[in-house]
Amino acid sequence: MNKPLFALLTALSLGGCAVEPTTLQEETTYFAEWVGEEPVVGRNRLSLVLGTEGRAYGNAGCNHWFATYSLDGTQIDFSDVGSTRMACDPLIMKQENDFLDTLSRVERWDISNTDQLRLWPAEGAPLRLWPAQE
């Protein structure tokens, strides 16, 4: 078989194995793996749920958080971000504050080639989250 034809057939056969990336889903729990440049620490997983009617909520590591959000294509905006007010270990509280601060600055979202949800602020590294496994 000639080399160009073999290369074409190989590319076509591998292309058939491609998996469609996931999309942003309402009422799905996403768990954070990274907050900007820092990996998530602690026992309580940081989570995000995009609820119906523009409400978002989850766990910020120590406290439960809530916000409103609007979605327009790949643009997403979280506003009125708030949380309960329990105190935890200083390291967990710093992570929580970083998470909520970054969340309030998010402007867009995308899905990586590994199906990871990335929430991008105007500047800096994204929040990186995985959908919960069912």
Side-chain angles (χ1 to χ4, degrees):
M1 179 179 298
N2 70 32
K3 288 182 182 181
L5 180 58
F6 179 75
L8 176 63
L9 291 174
T10 301
L12 289 174
S13 67
L14 292 175
C17 297
V19 175
E20 191 67 28
T22 60
T23 59
L24 194 57
Q25 300 289 320
E26 285 186 340
E27 299 302 329
T28 294
T29 300
Y30 292 89
F31 291 110
E33 179 180 36
W34 290 82
V35 176
E37 299 289 339
E38 299 294 324
V40 171
V41 297
R43 275 188 244 150
N44 294 333
R45 297 175 77 182
L46 279 66
S47 63
L48 168 117
V49 176
L50 299 174
T52 58
E53 299 179 18
R55 300 289 301 162
Y57 56 92
N59 187 307
C62 179
N63 291 285
H64 294 283
W65 69 270
F66 45 86
T68 57
Y69 76 96
S70 60
L71 191 59
D72 183 14
T74 60
Q75 303 299 310
I76 189 167
D77 177 63
F78 294 91
S79 57
D80 302 322
V81 177
S83 69
T84 57
R85 295 183 173 244
M86 294 189 317
C88 290
D89 179 89
L91 181 62
I92 300 299
M93 294 307 297
K94 180 186 178 320
Q95 175 178 262
E96 180 170 294
N97 290 333
D98 291 347
F99 175 76
L100 295 174
D101 176 62
T102 303
L103 191 66
S104 69
R105 295 181 295 109
V106 165
E107 293 184 348
R108 66 183 176 87
W109 68 273
D110 68 16
I111 304 291
S112 74
N113 60 359
T114 59
D115 292 338
Q116 188 175 51
L117 171 61
R118 297 181 297 190
L119 299 174
W120 293 91
E123 294 181 16
L127 296 172
R128 293 185 280 177
L129 306 104
W130 293 104
Q133 300 298 313
E134 295 178 17

